[in-house]
Amino acid sequence: MSNVDTAARQRIAAAYDPQLFKSLGTRFAELVGQHLEEVQHSQHPVLNWNEPFKLMAEAQGTYSGSRINVPTPERFGELVRLALSRGHNLHDPRYVGHQVPASVPFAGLFDAIGSVTNQPMAIYEMGPWATAVEQALVRDLLQLVGWTSQVSAGIVTHGASLANLTALLVARNLTLPESWRQGVPRSGPLPALVVQADGHYCLARSAGILGLGTDQVIKAALDDRRRMDPVQLDATLADLRRQGRPVIAVAACACATPIGAFDPLEPIAEVCQRHGVWLHVDAAHGGATLFSEKHRHLVAGIEQADSFTCDAHKMLFVPALCAFLFYKNKQQSFAAFEQHAPYLFDPTAPELAEFDSGLRTVECTKRAATFGLWGVWAMCGSQLFADLVDVTFDLTQQFHGLLTDAPDFEPLHQPECNILVFRHIPPELRDAPPRVLGDFQLRLRRKVIESGVSYLVPTAFNGVPALRVTLINPLTTVGHLQDLMVTLRSEGRQLLL
Amino acid sequence: MSNVDTAARQRIAAAYDPQLFKSLGTRFAELVGQHLEEVQHSQHPVLNWNEPFKLMAEAQGTYSGSRINVPTPERFGELVRLALSRGHNLHDPRYVGHQVPASVPFAGLFDAIGSVTNQPMAIYEMGPWATAVEQALVRDLLQLVGWTSQVSAGIVTHGASLANLTALLVARNLTLPESWRQGVPRSGPLPALVVQADGHYCLARSAGILGLGTDQVIKAALDDRRRMDPVQLDATLADLRRQGRPVIAVAACACATPIGAFDPLEPIAEVCQRHGVWLHVDAAHGGATLFSEKHRHLVAGIEQADSFTCDAHKMLFVPALCAFLFYKNKQQSFAAFEQHAPYLFDPTAPELAEFDSGLRTVECTKRAATFGLWGVWAMCGSQLFADLVDVTFDLTQQFHGLLTDAPDFEPLHQPECNILVFRHIPPELRDAPPRVLGDFQLRLRRKVIESGVSYLVPTAFNGVPALRVTLINPLTTVGHLQDLMVTLRSEGRQLLL
């Protein structure tokens, strides 16, 4: 072995040193634990707002230039502190932003078992424990729906966009049996995809990706609470049938993103069954209500769907990404893909194919994405998942009450879950045209988030910009929401000066 | 607030307690550090082989039944020990399996910053530091290729299968401009996708997903070293042109999975340019050679590609998943998708769109996937990436020498990187028919991996099963490989008894 090799092997051994790892791990626990404590007590900005180019230069400064560094605990401490000071503090109870939770902190430690020891799967033998944990959780989640693992199946993939795409790919392949091999048909009436009009953009996107074309997306009509209307859906499907157009699927939502509206799944499923159309439910956000006795009525009928998604990294409060895709009929879950890869699938063990995740997911190598969920469930029991849903949903009702009672706030709908859209309307703008009022909401929000005292998001309601919160930090209280209203008033006043 | 609410909030506060987190984190560092030490010294099986149903029952036993648990450090310790004892020990230097590395252990701690504090992106403001780190790394990786961030671009996504799909989606949308909205064309000659004949299954799969049809995949002819042959590629493209068939892309490999063959990218790029065809390079495995002076010649010409993928979770030795997708032309990176989502994209800050990852990735919510790579680079400097490539590639040459010198082993190709395919041929099987010899390799491998003394994978070479190693644990030495040969001999002898 040459001297160069020896030096390289020494540098590698230093990076892989278990003693170094222990020392860094201990420091990690102290620094991150301390940070969580400070953030829970609102001692930092919620969002550390910075321009991208400034942050990029700062990131680059930490690694560029020096070709060889000796890894030390001191250096590690500096880098961890930097990352913590530049991030987005979702664990601050003033965070009321996107559908991304203040996750259970120790879920990240369970996740890190997989990251440190690198436990991905693709085939069962690569990640036996990762696969077993995923499939055990799948079975228990299936049971919540009233399905069994003899008949039904589930997989985990990287986000609901990918899960929805995968489900719609299966629906396409089953509706148009030649499409996988020959491509989408070149003759006959155009296939259509029926999507909740407020559905997440990934649903319409799927039609673009799958070669159907986004023009072939038919938006299902909504009722006055922005839920899919089963009667109008029936008429839409009848109309498509008259035109002879094959329908890939109806994609319903539980709930739709903008205001968190839950589609009435029971009558929708009945309509879909009558028309022989695949029903897919995007329950990325609302699937977790299955754990709550109080709120599971919102997804009643989901057991009649052909497939549905549920993001554990939303309302089960584990870190991103951990998205479940469930199929009522297990065999259909294999209709997404076909492949040949002799270095992966072992013909001497065909009974393991059901546990080879790569046969059913876009991913080949796939992270052990369910360790966080497993850890929270095993540490706290299933009651915690019910608690998280109940507390955040109930708080949203209270916030709705606060907004209703305030003369200068207007909630724009009755909340069904923990999403609420509203506007702040100071006296000066009471008679302002929609354009002015909407513009005020957007500028107000940007001012607030850059100030670091709260984090909420923009949306549009009836075409006019509005403010939107998701109460997805379970440490948020009514007091924090009263403070948010005070903040919006004072920052708004400054804007109007 | 009702009593029920109070109890729920108390349970939530217990789960979110920063003091609990510190205590669990410290225990995590001790237990995982100790495990790494033992695994590096081969004190455990490489693969803890177990039947899936047994492991699933064990996983389920840890969480089912009890509805409410109080989270404690003792319980945490039990669960971590269980997970560590049931996993796959990639950090054992006897692990020589799939293209999944024994990752730099502390990379997992950097990754956990994102998991514990939950730092996903989608839009810039959700994960400013996550976005900045990703885009800073993209810039430096672009520079390695000789590209600049003024002209070129890169994104990170969940695995090379998804990255390749995204690149081919862009190529489809640019080749067939109406396909996103109207669907793949219904008239004219069928569009084709030209793929390295040994390319990863995800490439042909992409044709199925994108609505082109896997029958429309044309396998590019290979030379005697299983590399794409530029002269035959030229003839194939000329033939397709004569047929009037639009060519979505040529997908080349650096390297192809089966034996790690690197396509000659310079002449391939020249051919593609002449035919006006998009060149995509799947450099999931070999892209990391850009860091190595000694081996970067393998990807010479990659700077002439239109797009390429590189998995940091392969030869940059960070945990899965962290896949980069690069585009030579920045504008083209926006051709993958179109979407409308008023609650995401803020019209008051249009200059941030370039940093809104969701515009260019299948994922909406996307993990902070580059913290591990950032941490390793910042802690050790770029030399470590060169070291890791050089040491593992050089070791593979040495293994090839050992196999060549042994009368009862047959290496099936000269290795170009750290992938090597071979057969063990004990004297009794020297004149055996291919079916018998192949079957012996498969049964031998299964015996070895279930014994826990090594982990290698099966493949087929010229249609006959063979053994395949990837030397992707940099702590593996020649001694370990000599031991592997001894193991194969002794286990093989038992099979033949």
Side-chain angles (χ1 to χ4, degrees):
Chain A
M1 199 180 285
S2 72
N3 285 339
V4 175
D5 279 350
T6 309
R9 283 205 171 256
Q10 280 169 353
R11 287 190 292 264
I12 289 169
Y16 280 73
D17 179 17
Q19 294 309 317
L20 175 73
F21 176 85
K22 276 190 206 180
S23 147
L24 303 189
T26 307
R27 193 160 285 225
F28 173 88
E30 281 162 19
L31 290 172
V32 178
Q34 184 60 33
H35 177 77
L36 285 169
E37 175 137 27
E38 293 166 11
V39 166
Q40 281 193 14
H41 291 94
S42 297
Q43 292 172 18
H44 298 283
V46 182
L47 169 63
N48 288 288
W49 174 257
N50 266 300
E51 300 294 335
F53 288 107
K54 182 166 168 273
L55 285 188
M56 283 169 66
E58 197 166 27
Q60 219 153 9
T62 59
Y63 64 82
S64 69
S66 60
R67 226 162 55 97
I68 303 177
N69 304 329
V70 177
T72 64
E74 293 67 34
R75 177 81 181 133
F76 179 75
E78 283 170 29
L79 294 166
V80 173
R81 273 194 212 94
L82 175 65
L84 293 174
S85 69
R86 294 294 181 268
H88 196 161
N89 291 319
L90 277 58
H91 290 82
D92 188 313
R94 299 174 299 174
Y95 166 84
V96 290
H98 283 290
Q99 291 157 264
V100 179
S103 51
V104 178
F106 68 70
L109 293 175
F110 280 96
D111 189 82
I113 298 172
S115 300
V116 173
T117 66
N118 208 19
Q119 299 291 312
M121 48 196 129
I123 49 168
Y124 172 70
E125 65 178 50
M126 265 307 283
W129 183 248
T131 307
V133 166
E134 172 182 313
Q135 286 303 313
L137 291 167
V138 160
R139 289 183 172 219
D140 283 272
L141 294 169
L142 288 175
Q143 280 191 350
L144 283 181
V145 193
W147 291 353
T148 71
S149 58
Q150 283 77 50
V151 175
S152 306
I155 56 153
V156 169
T157 188
H158 283 95
S161 293
L162 196 53
N164 288 331
L165 175 67
T166 307
L168 295 175
L169 173 60
V170 167
R172 189 204 68 183
N173 290 349
L174 293 172
T175 311
L176 311 169
E178 305 304 322
S179 60
W180 180 262
R181 284 169 185 265
Q182 296 176 19
V184 292
R186 306 192 121 213
S187 58
L190 285 162
L193 175 66
V194 179
V195 170
Q196 219 270 14
D198 272 353
H200 188 271
Y201 67 70
C202 70
L203 296 169
R205 250 194 193 184
S206 295
I209 296 170
L210 298 175
L212 303 164
T214 55
D215 286 354
Q216 271 50 268
V217 171
I218 314 275
K219 289 193 177 181
L222 307 183
D223 65 17
D224 58 358
R225 289 163 61 188
R226 306 203 69 74
R227 305 174 308 171
M228 192 188 287
D229 181 330
V231 175
Q232 294 189 70
L233 175 67
D234 192 19
T236 300
L237 293 179
D239 191 42
L240 288 167
R241 178 184 292 228
R242 269 190 300 275
Q243 296 172 46
R245 295 183 67 178
V247 179
I248 301 298
V250 167
C253 297
C255 51
T257 323
I259 64 166
F262 283 74
D263 290 335
L265 299 179
E266 283 178 325
I268 289 171
E270 189 275 320
V271 170
C272 288
Q273 277 159 25
R274 194 146 34 77
H275 288 274
V277 169
W278 184 282
L279 173 60
H280 175 71
V281 180
D282 179 354
H285 190 83
T289 58
L290 288 164
F291 281 94
S292 162
E293 284 177 34
K294 191 168 171 189
H295 296 287
R296 62 179 308 163
H297 66 89
L298 290 166
V299 294
I302 200 167
E303 72 283 356
Q304 295 176 57
D306 295 287
S307 57
F308 73 95
T309 54
C310 173
D311 280 351
H313 63 268
K314 289 194 169 78
M315 290 303 291
L316 295 175
F317 289 80
V318 300
L321 291 170
C322 178
F324 285 84
L325 166 58
F326 298 101
Y327 297 92
K328 185 162 61 188
N329 178 336
K330 183 191 281 195
Q331 284 316 311
Q332 293 174 335
S333 69
F334 289 98
F337 313 106
E338 297 172 32
Q339 63 278 307
H340 175 69
Y343 45 90
L344 277 179
F345 307 104
D346 182 354
T348 67
E351 75 283 4
L352 296 177
E354 187 175 337
F355 298 94
D356 291 341
S357 64
L359 293 169
R360 295 194 273 187
T361 59
V362 165
E363 300 93 331
C364 177
T365 299
K366 187 177 89 168
R367 288 184 96 231
T370 58
F371 283 179
L373 182 62
W374 167 62
V376 174
W377 200 333
M379 288 283 283
C380 299
S382 61
Q383 180 61 43
L384 186 71
F385 300 125
D387 290 341
L388 289 162
V389 167
D390 292 349
V391 162
T392 55
F393 281 30
D394 294 358
L395 184 65
T396 311
Q397 294 296 336
Q398 295 179 63
F399 188 42
H400 183 263
L402 291 179
L403 295 172
T404 306
D405 293 346
D408 53 347
F409 283 91
E410 183 186 24
L412 295 168
H413 62 104
Q414 185 72 41
E416 291 193 71
C417 60
N418 55 335
I419 294 171
L420 185 53
V421 174
F422 64 99
R423 293 199 188 98
H424 173 41
I425 310 176
E428 298 90 322
L429 295 181
R430 209 159 287 158
D431 302 314
R435 196 189 50 74
V436 173
L437 187 61
D439 186 56
F440 174 76
Q441 311 302 316
L442 292 177
R443 287 188 301 132
L444 175 57
R445 187 200 81 95
R446 181 140 291 278
K447 200 159 184 302
V448 168
I449 69 158
E450 293 189 8
S451 76
V453 299
S454 183
Y455 181 79
L456 70 174
V457 312
T459 191
F461 190 86
N462 289 341
V464 179
L467 303 172
R468 178 174 179 272
V469 295
T470 310
L471 303 188
I472 201 158
N473 180 329
L475 304 178
T476 301
T477 62
V478 169
H480 293 108
L481 298 170
Q482 288 167 327
D483 290 348
L484 170 60
M485 292 168 72
V486 170
T487 296
L488 290 168
R489 282 183 182 124
S490 64
E491 297 281 345
R493 206 166 302 128
Q494 288 191 27
L495 272 184
L496 291 170
L497 282 183
Chain B
M1 199 181 285
S2 71
N3 285 338
V4 175
D5 279 349
T6 309
R9 283 206 172 256
Q10 280 168 355
R11 288 189 293 264
I12 289 169
Y16 280 73
D17 179 17
Q19 295 309 318
L20 175 73
F21 176 85
K22 277 191 207 180
S23 147
L24 304 188
T26 306
R27 194 160 282 225
F28 173 87
E30 282 162 17
L31 290 172
V32 178
Q34 184 60 32
H35 178 76
L36 285 169
E37 176 138 27
E38 292 167 11
V39 166
Q40 280 192 14
H41 291 94
S42 297
Q43 291 172 17
H44 298 283
V46 182
L47 169 64
N48 288 289
W49 175 256
N50 266 300
E51 300 293 335
F53 287 108
K54 181 164 168 277
L55 285 188
M56 283 169 65
E58 196 165 29
Q60 219 152 8
T62 59
Y63 64 82
S64 69
S66 60
R67 224 162 56 96
I68 301 177
N69 304 329
V70 177
T72 63
E74 292 66 36
R75 177 77 180 135
F76 179 75
E78 282 170 28
L79 295 167
V80 173
R81 273 194 212 95
L82 174 65
L84 293 174
S85 70
R86 294 295 181 267
H88 197 161
N89 291 320
L90 279 58
H91 290 83
D92 188 312
R94 300 173 299 176
Y95 166 84
V96 291
H98 282 291
Q99 290 157 265
V100 178
S103 51
V104 178
F106 68 71
L109 293 175
F110 280 96
D111 188 82
I113 299 171
S115 300
V116 173
T117 67
N118 208 19
Q119 298 292 313
M121 49 196 129
I123 50 168
Y124 171 71
E125 64 178 52
M126 266 306 284
W129 182 248
T131 307
V133 166
E134 172 183 313
Q135 287 302 313
L137 291 167
V138 160
R139 287 181 174 222
D140 283 273
L141 294 169
L142 288 175
Q143 281 191 350
L144 283 181
V145 193
W147 291 353
T148 71
S149 58
Q150 283 77 49
V151 176
S152 306
I155 57 153
V156 169
T157 189
H158 283 95
S161 294
L162 196 53
N164 287 331
L165 175 67
T166 307
L168 295 174
L169 172 60
V170 166
R172 189 204 69 182
N173 290 349
L174 294 172
T175 310
L176 311 170
E178 305 305 321
S179 60
W180 180 262
R181 284 169 185 266
Q182 296 176 19
V184 292
R186 305 191 123 213
S187 58
L190 285 162
L193 175 66
V194 179
V195 170
Q196 221 268 15
D198 272 353
H200 188 271
Y201 68 69
C202 69
L203 297 169
R205 249 194 195 187
S206 295
I209 296 170
L210 298 176
L212 303 164
T214 55
D215 286 353
Q216 272 50 267
V217 172
I218 313 275
K219 289 194 175 181
L222 306 183
D223 65 17
D224 58 358
R225 288 163 61 189
R226 305 203 69 75
R227 305 175 307 171
M228 193 188 287
D229 182 328
V231 175
Q232 294 189 71
L233 175 67
D234 192 18
T236 301
L237 293 179
D239 191 42
L240 289 167
R241 179 184 291 231
R242 267 190 300 276
Q243 297 172 45
R245 296 184 67 177
V247 179
I248 302 298
V250 167
C253 296
C255 50
T257 323
I259 65 166
F262 283 75
D263 290 334
L265 299 178
E266 283 177 325
I268 289 171
E270 189 276 319
V271 169
C272 289
Q273 278 158 24
R274 194 146 34 76
H275 288 273
V277 169
W278 184 283
L279 173 60
H280 175 70
V281 180
D282 179 352
H285 191 82
T289 58
L290 288 164
F291 281 94
S292 161
E293 284 177 32
K294 192 168 170 188
H295 297 287
R296 63 179 307 161
H297 67 89
L298 290 166
V299 293
I302 200 167
E303 71 284 354
Q304 295 176 58
D306 295 287
S307 57
F308 74 97
T309 54
C310 173
D311 280 352
H313 62 268
K314 291 195 168 78
M315 290 302 291
L316 295 176
F317 289 80
V318 299
L321 292 171
C322 178
F324 285 85
L325 166 57
F326 298 101
Y327 297 92
K328 186 162 62 186
N329 178 336
K330 182 191 282 196
Q331 284 316 310
Q332 293 173 335
S333 69
F334 289 98
F337 314 106
E338 297 171 34
Q339 63 278 305
H340 175 69
Y343 46 89
L344 276 180
F345 307 104
D346 182 353
T348 67
E351 75 282 4
L352 296 178
E354 187 176 337
F355 298 95
D356 291 341
S357 64
L359 293 169
R360 296 194 272 188
T361 58
V362 166
E363 300 94 331
C364 178
T365 300
K366 188 177 91 170
R367 283 184 99 232
T370 58
F371 283 179
L373 182 62
W374 166 62
V376 174
W377 200 333
M379 288 282 284
C380 297
S382 60
Q383 180 62 41
L384 187 71
F385 300 125
D387 291 341
L388 289 162
V389 167
D390 292 349
V391 162
T392 54
F393 280 31
D394 295 358
L395 184 65
T396 312
Q397 295 296 335
Q398 294 179 62
F399 187 42
H400 183 263
L402 291 178
L403 295 173
T404 306
D405 293 346
D408 53 348
F409 283 90
E410 183 186 23
L412 295 169
H413 62 103
Q414 185 71 39
E416 290 192 72
C417 60
N418 54 336
I419 294 170
L420 185 53
V421 174
F422 64 99
R423 292 199 189 97
H424 173 41
I425 310 177
E428 299 91 322
L429 295 182
R430 208 159 288 159
D431 301 315
R435 198 189 49 75
V436 173
L437 186 62
D439 185 57
F440 174 75
Q441 311 301 315
L442 292 178
R443 287 189 300 131
L444 175 57
R445 186 198 82 95
R446 182 142 289 278
K447 200 159 184 301
V448 168
I449 69 159
E450 292 189 9
S451 76
V453 299
S454 183
Y455 181 79
L456 70 174
V457 311
T459 190
F461 190 87
N462 289 341
V464 179
L467 302 172
R468 179 173 178 273
V469 295
T470 310
L471 303 187
I472 202 159
N473 180 330
L475 304 178
T476 301
T477 63
V478 169
H480 294 108
L481 298 170
Q482 287 167 327
D483 290 348
L484 171 60
M485 293 167 73
V486 170
T487 296
L488 290 168
R489 282 181 182 125
S490 64
E491 297 282 345
R493 206 166 301 128
Q494 289 191 26
L495 272 185
L496 292 170
L497 282 183

